[in-house]
């Protein structure tokens, strides 16, 4: 029995750990001839409503993330991955990355960095990667950045 991944989600937030996760995801997607879904969820949970979320902050965040993911997309295509999708959404990263998008895409692998950019949230309520490992219904690969880098 050969196990092949066809729909891979990689969570990217601009951290060094997510950059390593992206690099591993590209290699896995290329070897498996899989679709690579680059995803970033802009966290709006701390505001009382989407309207209360400062529009200029939202626009700057969206533009930064879109540019980052499009740069990663170009890198993945150059490395030989034929199918690459860029997904930027607003909401809860923990729920959307571990449950919502994997179901929508029939994902069979989620790749993420061991830690991300939000140290305060990690301290208070646990990391996104920890939640993905606990909640996802597909395989999860958590990437650690090498100590020497």
């Amino acid at each position: 029995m050969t196990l092949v991944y066809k729909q891979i989600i990689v969570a990217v937030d601009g951290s060094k750990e997510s950059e390593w996760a992206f690099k591993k995801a590209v290699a896995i997607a290329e070897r498996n001839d899989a679709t690579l879904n680059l995803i970033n969820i802009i966290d709006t949970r701390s505001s009382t409503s989407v309207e209360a979320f400062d529009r200029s902050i939202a626009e700057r965040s969206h533009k930064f993330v879109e540019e980052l993911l499009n740069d990663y997309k170009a890198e993945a295509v150059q490395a030989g991955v034929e199918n690459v999708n860029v997904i930027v959404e607003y909401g809860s990263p923990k729920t959307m990355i571990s449950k919502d998008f994997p179901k929508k895409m029939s994902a069979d692998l989620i790749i993420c960095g061991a830690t991300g950019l939000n140290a305060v949230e990690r301290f208070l309520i646990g990391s996104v990667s920890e939640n993905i490992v606990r909640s996802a219904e597909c395989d999860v690969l958590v990437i650690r950045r090498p100590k020497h880098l």
Side-chain angles (χ1 to χ4, degrees):
M1 177 171 117
T2 305
L3 189 62
V4 178
Y5 295 112
K6 286 297 173 192
Q7 287 288 334
I8 299 170
I9 292 174
V10 61
V12 181
D13 67 2
S15 67
K16 287 291 184 190
E17 284 74 14
S18 76
E19 183 179 343
W20 278 97
F22 164 75
K23 290 178 185 302
K24 296 259 182 154
V26 167
I28 294 167
E30 202 274 325
R31 280 195 311 268
N32 286 270
D33 193 28
T35 297
L36 184 59
N37 300 286
L38 307 172
I39 189 166
N40 181 286
I41 307 300
I42 298 170
D43 194 344
T44 57
R45 294 168 303 158
S46 58
S47 62
T48 54
S49 71
V50 174
E51 290 77 29
F53 191 66
D54 184 321
R55 293 247 182 259
S56 65
I57 292 172
E59 287 170 10
R60 285 194 308 267
S61 296
H62 194 276
K63 184 177 184 206
F64 168 78
V65 168
E66 212 166 53
E67 287 175 6
L68 177 71
L69 269 57
N70 281 323
D71 288 347
Y72 280 155
K73 178 179 180 174
E75 191 176 326
V77 169
Q78 187 174 20
V81 180
E82 291 182 24
N83 299 309
V84 183
N85 299 313
V86 169
I87 300 134
V88 180
E89 292 285 340
Y90 294 91
S92 167
K94 290 180 178 184
T95 302
M96 295 176 82
I97 295 170
S98 66
K99 295 181 179 178
D100 298 347
F101 279 99
K103 284 180 185 163
K104 281 183 192 176
M105 300 170 170
S106 300
D108 40 21
L109 177 63
I110 301 171
I111 302 174
C112 60
T115 60
L117 292 176
N118 195 338
V120 173
E121 182 178 86
R122 257 196 331 273
F123 177 74
L124 294 174
I125 55 178
S127 70
V128 172
S129 58
E130 179 184 358
N131 190 71
I132 293 169
V133 169
R134 280 195 320 261
S135 304
E137 294 181 7
C138 63
D139 290 350
V140 177
L141 177 59
V142 179
I143 306 300
R144 296 194 179 279
R145 181 171 58 152
K147 295 265 187 228
H148 64 281
L149 296 176

